[in-house]
Amino acid sequence: PLPPVYGDVDRLRQVFVNIIDNALKYTSPGGTITVSSREDSGWVRVVISDTGCGIPPEEQAAVFQRYFRTTNGRKHESTGLGLTIAQELAHLHQGEILLESEVGKGSCFTLRLPLLELDEEADE
C-alpha cells in the first residue's frame, strides 16, 4: 500500500489513467507496463514504465505541453492533452511528473507527491 498523500482521489486517479493510457497506446502487444511505488525522503514516488516505442530526446521537453503528440511510434487518436492535464494535476497536489525515455526501449514516468504528515499527537 502507498503511504498517505494529501489530495483529491478522483484527480489523482485521472493522473494515473492518463499516464497508463499512453503506455498502453505506445506499447506493442507482448510488451510490458510496470507500476511501482516507494517512499523517498518525504515524497511518494509512483513509477510507471513501459517497453513501448520511447520518446526521442528532442521531443521529451514538449510532452507536457498542450496538443503535443510524439512523432515516434504508431499514430493514435489523441487530443494531445492527457499528459498536460496529468502534469497540471500533479502540480496542484504540490508534486510533479518526471520523464525518462529511450527510443526503442520505452518510457518511465515518475509521479512525485509529498507525503501526508500525520499528526502523531492526535493519535494519542
Side-chain angles (χ1 to χ4, degrees), residues 33 42 50 102:
I33 298 169
D50 64 59
E102 188 174 340

Side-chain angles (χ1 to χ4, degrees), residues 6-8 11-12 14-15 84-97 111-114:
Y6 181 79
D8 180 311
R11 297 296 65 88
L12 291 174
Q14 186 176 4
V15 171
T84 303
I85 292 168
Q87 184 71 285
E88 182 62 27
L89 290 171
H91 288 162
L92 290 170
H93 286 85
Q94 286 75 51
E96 65 181 336
I97 301 172
L111 171 62
R112 287 178 9 117
L113 295 170

Side-chain angles (χ1 to χ4, degrees), residues 22-96:
N22 275 358
L24 289 167
K25 286 178 186 174
Y26 292 102
T27 301
S28 297
T32 303
I33 298 169
T34 305
V35 180
S36 62
S37 65
R38 66 183 157 101
E39 186 177 330
D40 181 27
S41 302
W43 295 88
V44 171
R45 292 179 180 262
V46 180
V47 179
I48 301 166
S49 60
D50 64 59
T51 58
C53 59
I55 302 166
E58 63 275 11
E59 293 184 358
Q60 290 180 22
V63 298
F64 298 108
Q65 294 176 4
R66 279 189 189 134
Y67 310 117
F68 174 80
R69 291 189 238 174
T70 185
T71 59
N72 200 26
R74 301 182 306 252
K75 297 295 180 197
H76 298 282
E77 291 297 319
S78 171
T79 62
L81 292 173
L83 291 176
T84 303
I85 292 168
Q87 184 71 285
E88 182 62 27
L89 290 171
H91 288 162
L92 290 170
H93 286 85
Q94 286 75 51
E96 65 181 336

Side-chain angles (χ1 to χ4, degrees), residues 91-111:
H91 288 162
L92 290 170
H93 286 85
Q94 286 75 51
E96 65 181 336
I97 301 172
L98 307 170
L99 167 65
E100 295 176 43
S101 188
E102 188 174 340
V103 173
K105 295 195 176 187
S107 298
C108 178
F109 289 85
T110 301
L111 171 62

